[in-house]
Amino acid sequence: MKKKAIIEKTAKIIFMICAVIAIFAVCSITLYMFMKGAPTFQKVGVSELLFGTKWAPTAKEPSYGILYIILSSVVGTFASVLIGVPIGLLTAVFLSEIAGKHLGSVVRGAVELLAAIPSVIYGLIGMMVLNPWMYQLEKSVFGSNSSHKFTGGANMLSAIIVLAIMILPTVISVSTSSLKAVPDNLRSASLALGATKMQTIFQVVIPAAKSGILTGVVLGIGRALGEAMAINMVAGGAVNIPLPFNSVRTLTTQIVSEMGYAQGLHRQVLFSVGLVLYIFIMIVNFILLKARKKGVGE
Amino acid sequence: MTKSRQIKDRLTAFFIYLCSAFSVCLLVGIICYVFIKGFKTVNWTFLTSVTSVLKGTVGIAGNIVNTLIIIFITMIIATPIGIGSAIFLNEYAKPGKLVTTIEYATETLSGIPSIIFGLFGMMFFGEKLGLGYSILTGSLTLILMVLPLITRNTQEALKTVPNSYRSGAISLGSGKWHMIRTILIPSAMPGIITGVILAVGRIVGESAALLFTAGSAKLLPKGIEGLLQKPMQSGGTLTIQMYLSATSEGDFDTAFGIAVVLLIIVLIINLSTKVLTGHFDVSRKD
């Protein structure tokens, strides 16, 4: 009998240790990001680092301004959300309100597979297909402008399009489940009052599913902010103002492309770039947590 | 219904269909493009040899082996921890501060981008623990990344096990541990396996977290001894090799060849989770 009690106790403790590992992991990641990323703010100077526009880490008088890098991440993320969310929301409307069983399962299957495709494949296709298209567009826009630095199509626009595509599955699956959770009597009441199906969808169902859809949008923002490899392959490699036809670096691609060879202070600044990204992600996570709580409360 | 309303509705419906068609066309386009571009590269030699200038061969055998070793080490550690964590959350813990914190931590972990995991892995496992650029560093990093996936899927599966199973076993005199081992885990098995397969898929597709942890070596280990030493050495996975082929090496044939292999793996994984979840619970989504 005593042996059994010991086994029970041990099992409980082991399970608890397993569960606590997640807390431990988050704490140590946070700690390390701050430990490695924060000291540089003092060395370089907060305003010089965050608001400096010149990135020249290997120059004789090195300069570590990451303002354009931060802006590129922010602009890229918001622009891709602006494109991805309407497409995703309409697809979600199709899946939950319109599609029959067969057509619905085809679209749903496609969306699930899109979510599973590795980001390097998106990057590769972006390089081979999207960049040449963008180059054509660039030539027709800046054809006679000699002051424009041609990027061969590896620019902000390509990055935005690839990001918009990559956040689609997230937006679609979260929005679809929140639209499906809207009770049917709301739909029936609206239809009975004489509203058309489209009016019902856009004025009754979508507003009712608002908080769930917002969760999807926030998740999409997080995904777009954190995407590294695909963007690194399509966005070119120079630190620039985030204009559509400029080659840009985002927070993530900055780390990917320079961590391999960076030394000394340059390397430490890259950790600070990581810290800035981490803080952005933590803000997104916090908003998500609030949104979820509110969703449960309703 | 007024005429303008009718036109408006038609137009909206058109856009809805257009957007839905977009995802399907995109997927078909990606698959066709990759297969057309990469099909001629993929053959037996490509899969079983290593790229070598001396022998004049182009192959990804080393990367396949590295990928398999990383999957093996990651899953053999992450699976028990993930399942254990889910069991604690569902079966032992009473609602309160601890559970909220663990669930919040799990949620946070799943929201952290892979490049941050890569940075942390490089700093902590690679430099602090002195493991350097090695498959072990990569695997330890990936464990943290796939843990939430396994925990959440196991939790969902445990939730679908009816409470009568639990009370039945307990009232027959079974201890809690015995009940978990013989009743709960077998009943939740399809969900657990789904989580494991999804985690494997995540590892196969991962690149940013591995670039600065596992490195990019592509040689095949020599013999059993080499295989046993491999975890301590650098090793690039399929995705890493594909990234390098497409960027610094400029070898697009190899890149598309690897893309074909990756897509086939993704398709198999997707299909098997579909079969499993179909068997298990139709209403459940990832």
Side-chain angles (χ1 to χ4, degrees):
Chain A
M1 212 54 212
K2 194 137 188 225
K3 196 177 146 207
K4 201 174 161 188
I6 293 171
I7 290 175
E8 291 295 333
K9 196 108 201 200
T10 327
K12 186 178 174 179
I13 291 171
I14 289 175
F15 289 136
M16 191 160 136
I17 292 172
C18 291
V20 174
I21 285 178
I23 301 181
F24 197 68
V26 172
C27 288
S28 35
I29 290 174
T30 311
L31 192 73
Y32 257 81
M33 292 312 295
F34 275 94
M35 238 165 59
K36 291 276 179 175
T40 337
F41 281 93
Q42 223 173 7
K43 274 185 218 159
V44 182
V46 176
S47 65
E48 214 173 313
L49 190 69
L50 288 180
F51 302 112
T53 53
K54 195 169 165 229
W55 175 261
T58 48
K60 220 172 202 161
E61 272 177 48
S63 164
Y64 304 101
I66 61 169
L67 181 68
Y68 287 160
I69 298 169
I70 298 176
L71 282 181
S72 298
S73 264
V74 173
V75 170
T77 301
F78 277 97
S80 63
V81 166
L82 228 52
I83 300 172
V85 167
I87 299 178
L89 183 57
L90 288 185
T91 310
V93 165
F94 177 78
L95 284 174
S96 97
E97 309 294 318
I98 294 174
K101 213 173 172 191
H102 281 291
L103 211 51
S105 70
V106 170
V107 175
R108 197 170 303 118
V111 172
E112 275 168 20
L113 264 176
L114 280 180
I117 291 178
S119 55
V120 278
I121 292 189
Y122 282 107
L124 180 65
I125 292 172
M127 275 173 93
M128 302 301 280
V129 181
L130 201 57
N131 284 355
W133 286 350
M134 288 300 134
Y135 189 41
Q136 294 296 328
L137 192 65
E138 192 180 19
K139 274 198 284 196
S140 63
V141 174
F142 292 99
S144 54
N145 189 341
S146 56
S147 65
H148 178 72
K149 243 195 232 156
F150 279 91
T151 57
N155 55 28
M156 187 84 211
L157 265 185
S158 300
I160 291 171
I161 294 171
V162 170
L163 279 179
I165 288 170
M166 291 184 77
I167 63 170
L168 262 186
T170 314
V171 176
I172 294 173
S173 69
V174 178
S175 307
T176 307
S177 33
S178 64
L179 286 174
K180 276 193 175 153
V182 173
D184 258 340
N185 54 18
L186 281 181
R187 292 187 186 88
S188 323
S190 164
L191 290 172
L193 283 170
T196 64
K197 184 159 188 180
M198 290 301 150
Q199 280 174 317
T200 306
I201 290 172
F202 285 93
Q203 286 166 25
V204 177
V205 182
I206 290 182
K210 198 176 55 192
S211 76
I213 294 170
L214 273 179
T215 309
V217 174
V218 178
L219 276 173
I221 292 177
R223 177 108 204 253
L225 264 178
E227 180 49 46
M229 300 308 256
I231 302 310
N232 195 38
M233 291 163 89
V234 301
V239 178
N240 270 320
I241 311 175
L243 291 175
F245 288 101
N246 275 355
S247 158
V248 292
R249 279 268 176 85
T250 65
L251 291 167
T252 50
T253 64
Q254 185 67 16
I255 301 168
V256 171
S257 42
E258 292 187 10
M259 196 47 109
Y261 65 83
Q263 300 288 334
L265 189 59
H266 179 193
R267 193 162 191 265
Q268 290 170 3
V269 174
L270 290 182
F271 286 125
S272 307
V273 172
L275 177 61
V276 173
L277 173 66
Y278 190 68
I279 291 172
F280 271 122
I281 292 292
M282 283 301 122
I283 295 171
V284 170
N285 266 347
F286 185 72
I287 296 172
L288 208 58
L289 189 77
K290 287 278 165 211
R292 288 253 165 87
K293 262 202 183 136
K294 212 177 143 207
V296 171
E298 280 164 0
Chain B
M1 204 179 347
T2 60
K3 190 107 195 191
S4 72
R5 185 73 244 164
Q6 226 170 357
I7 294 171
K8 238 187 193 166
D9 278 11
R10 288 252 170 88
L11 210 66
T12 327
F14 171 73
F15 274 115
I16 292 174
Y17 276 93
L18 195 71
C19 289
S20 317
F22 177 72
S23 297
V24 180
C25 295
L26 192 70
L27 179 75
V28 174
I30 289 175
I31 293 177
C32 289
Y33 186 77
V34 167
F35 271 82
I36 289 169
K37 281 267 189 177
F39 200 64
K40 56 183 186 297
T41 317
V42 182
N43 52 37
W44 189 245
T45 336
F46 182 70
L47 294 175
T48 55
S49 68
V50 175
T51 301
S52 152
V53 184
L54 275 178
K55 287 184 205 151
T57 51
V58 174
I60 53 167
N63 305 110
I64 294 178
V65 171
N66 290 337
T67 310
L68 290 176
I69 299 176
I70 287 191
I71 291 174
F72 178 76
I73 298 178
T74 308
M75 294 315 292
I76 210 163
I77 303 174
T79 311
I81 298 178
I83 296 174
S85 171
I87 289 176
F88 179 76
L89 288 172
N90 262 48
E91 309 299 326
Y92 284 96
K94 292 174 191 68
K97 268 242 163 72
L98 184 63
V99 175
T100 332
T101 317
I102 293 170
E103 274 178 347
Y104 180 53
T106 313
E107 196 91 333
T108 308
L109 264 190
S110 66
I112 293 177
S114 46
I115 182 78
I116 299 276
F117 281 109
L119 274 185
F120 173 73
M122 182 183 84
M123 291 187 288
F124 187 71
F125 301 120
E127 287 166 15
K128 186 87 182 166
L129 302 186
L131 297 170
Y133 281 101
S134 68
I135 286 193
L136 193 60
T137 308
S139 300
L140 289 170
T141 311
L142 289 184
I143 288 169
L144 303 179
M145 223 175 77
V146 299
L147 203 55
L149 209 58
I150 300 171
T151 305
R152 213 177 309 136
N153 272 282
T154 309
Q155 262 187 297
E156 291 295 316
L158 286 174
K159 274 180 197 157
T160 61
V161 178
N163 259 332
S164 55
Y165 285 27
R166 294 183 180 83
S167 39
I170 298 284
S171 62
L172 283 172
S174 153
K176 197 160 188 173
W177 162 236
H178 191 255
M179 181 267 286
I180 289 169
R181 200 160 42 96
T182 55
I183 309 284
L184 280 187
I185 293 183
S187 315
M189 209 32 123
I192 295 174
I193 296 174
T194 308
V196 169
I197 295 175
L198 283 174
V200 171
R202 181 97 199 255
I203 298 171
V204 169
E206 186 47 51
S207 44
L210 289 171
L211 195 57
F212 302 119
T213 53
S216 59
K218 53 189 171 189
L219 291 179
L220 268 175
K222 286 197 180 69
I224 300 290
E225 208 175 314
L227 199 63
L228 289 176
Q229 281 166 358
K230 191 69 199 170
M232 296 311 289
Q233 296 160 359
S234 150
T237 60
L238 288 167
T239 43
I240 294 292
Q241 185 52 46
M242 188 190 139
Y243 171 71
L244 294 174
S245 297
T247 53
S248 54
E249 293 169 15
D251 175 7
F252 289 104
D253 284 340
T254 307
F256 275 106
I258 297 176
V260 169
V261 175
L262 284 174
L263 272 187
I264 291 174
I265 297 174
V266 164
L267 285 172
I268 292 172
I269 285 176
N270 193 274
L271 213 67
S272 43
T273 50
K274 268 237 157 89
V275 170
L276 270 171
T277 40
H279 263 293
F280 167 53
D281 181 358
V282 197
S283 65
R284 213 169 60 79
K285 281 178 248 63
D286 47 54

